[in-house]
């Protein structure tokens, strides 16, 4: 059993309901626009929001801030090799910085990039470089009630069909995200990644693994298969199939900033050189890549802690405890439950709100109004033009919240359920030019207000 003691505490305040309503309206009914100080329990993301360990804080003080050839870079490179089996790394300030380095080097105008499901920034980077991101999820992935242990898998049949239709020369990479964040954080099996490896070889394409939650994926595999393998062994086995790895250290690196592109042997020297050049242009020198030496050092410790059995068991267990409590309260929860977040079926909970009125975003707004809880919509607002379920994600920061916080989340949902039929849909009144990232900054308003005005 693993648990934690709090060495540092932070006071938080639950604003009165009328002030929360005022803040929500001022934010354009987009919780990304809220001040963090106005949020009571923040489940917007698990990216960079967790609590570091005492060993990581100690590593911060030992960080080497040399511009080139930092000792802290050597520590991180060694940790990536030991934990993930990766031979070379090129650091970046976070995961989307790593995506910029890699997809800017791989994707050209007219290319097609299949994935088990592109997340928002991945989709945007592929599209920004002239490529077409195509989701190829496993059968049942979009059905919150479908059975199956590995609903995060990539559909090899759909990918093969796409390669045949587009031509192998137009497919520079196949992307597998573990866990599949866009599909409710579902796990991806080792066998599925091995099959994707064979497809990539046949198409002369790179197999890219988005490994942000590689340890949680390995923990879910261990729980499903229960064959005596350790989390660390499963993680290394799965990652060995990749040519390249995109890593946000803000997830399973257990730090608040940082990431990298990793390359496996045999390393493509030309690609490595291109990545390093792009790093200098966009991130920093290739041995720090936009991170301070102290952050490199903390991530080296975090990678090792992420595959510890006790940590992974408690991490996934907390997510599942929240899911079970919500389900007991009558909340439609996506099953099976993943490893970093609980996904709620907003389309079912707010069945009177059509998808074009963003039921997920409507639910997100009401959770904040009801109890100061901030979640994120991953449905028709975040993924326009795609066939995605109307989901709301409750992402738990690592090693941060306690049981009383989870109890408050459940009570907040109960309050929303009591008045679900009164909750209106929303309409966008302002959005950015890039549709793949519109949910970050778009402003909306309730539909009933629009109807009154017209």
């Amino acid at each position: 059993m693993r648990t934690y003691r709090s060495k540092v505490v932070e006071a938080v305040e639950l604003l009165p309901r009328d002030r929360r309503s005022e803040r929500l309206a001022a934010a354009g009914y987009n919780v990304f626009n809220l001040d963090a100080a106005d949020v009571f329990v923040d489940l917007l993301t698990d990216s960079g929001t967790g609590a570091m360990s005492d060993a990581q804080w100690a590593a911060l003080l030992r960080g080497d801030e040399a511009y080139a050839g930092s000792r802290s870079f050597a520590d991180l490179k060694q940790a990536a090799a030991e934990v993930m089996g990766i031979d070379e790394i090129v650091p970046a300030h976070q995961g989307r910085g790593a995506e910029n380095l890699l997809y800017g080097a791989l994707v050209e105008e007219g290319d097609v990039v299949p994935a088990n499901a592109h997340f928002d920034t991945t989709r945007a980077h592929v599209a920004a470089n002239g490529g077409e991101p195509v989701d190829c999820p496993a059968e049942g992935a979009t059905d919150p009630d479908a059975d199956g242990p590995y609903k995060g898998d990539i559909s090899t049949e759909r990918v093969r069909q796409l390669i045949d239709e587009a031509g192998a020369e137009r497919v520079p990479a196949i992307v597998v995200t573990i866990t599949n964040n866009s599909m409710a954080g579902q796990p991806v099996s080792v066998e599925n990644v091995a099959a994707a490896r064979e497809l990539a070889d046949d198409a002369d394409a790179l197999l890219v693994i988005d490994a942000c939650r590689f340890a949680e994926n390995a923990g879910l595999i261990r729980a499903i298969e229960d064959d005596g393998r350790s989390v660390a062994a499963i993680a290394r086995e799965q990652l060995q199939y990749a040519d390249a790895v995109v890593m946000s250290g803000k997830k399973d690196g257990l730090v608040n900033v940082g990431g990298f592109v990793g390359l496996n042997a045999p390393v493509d020297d030309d690609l490595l050189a291109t990545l390093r050049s792009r790093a200098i242009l966009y991130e920093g020198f290739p041995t720090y890549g936009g991170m301070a030496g102290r952050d490199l050092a903390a991530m080296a410790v975090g990678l090792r802690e992420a595959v510890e059995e006790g940590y992974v068991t408690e991490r996934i267990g907390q997510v599942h405890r929240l899911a079970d409590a919500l389900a007991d309260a009558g909340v439609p929860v996506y099953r099976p439950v993943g490893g970093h977040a609980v996904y709620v079926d907003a389309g079912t909970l707010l069945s009177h709100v059509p998808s074009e009125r963003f039921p997920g975003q409507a639910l997100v707004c009401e959770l904040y109004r009801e109890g100061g809880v901030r979640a994120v919509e991953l449905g028709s607002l975040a993924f326009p033009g795609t066939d995605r379920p109307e989901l709301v994600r409750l992402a738990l920061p690592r090693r941060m919240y306690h049981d009383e916080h989870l109890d408050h989340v459940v009570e907040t949902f109960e309050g929303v359920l009591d008045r679900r039929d009164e909750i209106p849909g929303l309409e966008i009144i302002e959005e950015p030019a890039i549709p793949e990232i519109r949910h970050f900054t778009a402003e909306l308003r309730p539909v009933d207000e629009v109807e009154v005005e017209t």
Side-chain angles (χ1 to χ4, degrees):
M1 178 179 178
R2 170 68 60 86
T3 188
Y4 302 96
R5 294 185 300 197
S6 300
K7 289 190 175 183
V8 178
V9 296
E10 176 187 4
V12 292
E13 177 187 3
L14 179 60
L15 297 178
R17 184 187 183 91
D18 60 344
R19 289 175 62 188
R20 296 197 299 271
S21 293
E22 292 172 0
R23 298 292 196 275
L24 186 62
Y29 295 89
N30 186 341
V31 295
F32 280 98
N33 297 329
L34 292 169
D35 289 339
D38 295 337
V39 176
F40 189 59
V41 178
D42 201 344
L43 307 181
L44 182 73
T45 181
D46 62 322
S47 179
T49 56
M52 292 199 302
S53 69
D54 52 355
Q56 288 180 286
W57 281 105
L60 286 176
L61 298 178
R62 298 194 300 269
D64 178 4
E65 303 302 338
Y67 183 93
S70 164
R71 180 184 66 252
S72 296
F73 170 77
D75 291 343
L76 179 58
K77 183 178 179 182
Q78 182 178 355
E82 292 175 4
V83 175
M84 305 173 77
I86 292 170
D87 293 87
E88 295 285 352
I89 64 168
V90 179
H93 73 282
Q94 64 179 70
R96 69 193 60 181
E99 287 180 328
N100 179 45
L101 298 183
L102 182 62
Y103 295 119
L106 293 181
V107 180
E108 298 179 352
E109 190 73 34
D111 283 345
V112 177
V113 180
N116 52 346
H118 293 81
F119 199 59
D120 47 19
T121 57
T122 317
R123 178 176 295 277
H125 279 295
V126 171
N129 286 285
E132 179 186 359
V134 180
D135 292 342
C136 301
E139 185 177 354
T142 60
D143 182 356
D145 298 317
D147 293 327
Y150 293 115
K151 291 166 68 175
D153 282 357
I154 191 168
S155 171
T156 54
E157 294 84 1
R158 293 177 68 177
V159 174
R160 192 174 297 280
Q161 181 181 5
L162 182 66
I163 293 171
D164 291 341
E165 293 173 352
E169 69 281 359
R170 291 184 57 204
V171 181
I174 297 171
V175 181
V176 181
T177 302
I178 59 173
T179 55
N180 191 340
N181 192 14
S182 296
M183 293 296 173
Q186 294 297 293
V188 178
S189 70
V190 174
E191 291 75 15
N192 185 247
V193 172
R197 166 77 272 160
E198 293 181 6
L199 272 177
D201 288 340
D202 292 344
D204 194 24
L206 262 67
L207 178 62
V208 178
I209 292 182
D210 184 327
C212 297
R213 298 177 178 88
F214 76 99
E216 292 167 1
N217 195 78
L220 292 168
I221 291 173
R222 184 194 58 182
I224 292 167
E225 301 189 5
D226 193 24
D227 58 4
R229 290 178 295 170
S230 67
V231 168
I234 294 170
R236 281 182 62 92
E237 180 184 357
Q238 189 159 46
L239 294 174
Q240 75 176 351
Y241 291 106
D243 295 300
V245 167
V246 174
M247 179 66 188
S248 170
K250 298 167 68 176
K251 283 84 168 177
D252 279 352
L254 308 186
V255 289
N256 305 119
V257 69
F260 57 79
V261 179
L263 298 180
N264 275 337
V267 173
D268 183 329
D269 291 334
D270 290 339
L271 177 58
L272 178 60
T274 300
L275 291 173
R276 286 172 172 169
S277 295
R278 289 178 61 80
I280 293 171
L281 183 61
Y282 293 109
E283 296 288 329
F285 194 74
T287 57
Y288 77 89
M291 285 190 286
R294 63 182 72 94
D295 298 318
L296 295 165
M299 194 192 304
V301 176
L303 285 177
R304 294 184 173 98
E305 292 180 348
V307 293
E308 292 177 357
E309 300 291 320
Y311 161 74
V312 176
T313 298
E314 171 55 26
R315 165 66 174 162
I316 295 175
Q318 185 183 49
V319 174
H320 285 228
R321 289 195 299 275
L322 176 58
D324 290 344
L326 289 171
D328 289 344
V331 178
V333 171
Y334 187 107
R335 298 285 188 177
V337 180
H340 75 285
V342 179
Y343 290 73
V344 173
D345 182 359
T348 296
L349 195 152
L350 300 182
S351 58
H352 63 286
V353 178
S355 61
E356 62 269 20
R357 295 304 188 192
F358 311 119
Q361 188 68 12
L363 176 57
V364 165
C365 290
E366 293 309 314
L367 291 173
Y368 177 73
R369 190 197 309 275
E370 180 69 27
V373 175
R374 180 158 65 171
V376 69
E377 186 264 11
L378 294 178
S380 50
L381 180 63
F383 299 107
T386 64
D387 182 21
R388 303 286 183 94
E390 298 289 343
L391 299 178
V392 166
R393 186 187 71 180
L394 311 171
L396 272 67
R398 293 161 180 81
R399 304 185 293 203
M400 183 172 174
Y401 286 128
H402 303 287
D403 286 346
E404 58 267 30
H405 297 105
L406 304 189
D407 292 342
H408 177 79
V409 173
V410 176
E411 292 167 3
T412 298
F413 265 95
E414 290 173 338
V416 171
L417 286 172
D418 287 343
R419 54 184 181 83
R420 71 172 85 180
D421 294 336
E422 305 168 8
I423 297 172
L426 300 167
E427 178 177 86
I428 295 175
I429 58 175
E430 185 175 336
E431 61 180 313
I434 304 174
E436 291 85 4
I437 57 172
R438 70 180 185 179
H439 57 298
F440 288 109
T441 58
E443 294 189 12
L444 306 95
R445 57 184 172 184
V447 172
D448 59 351
E449 290 184 13
V450 176
E451 292 173 347
V452 168
E453 292 177 6
T454 57

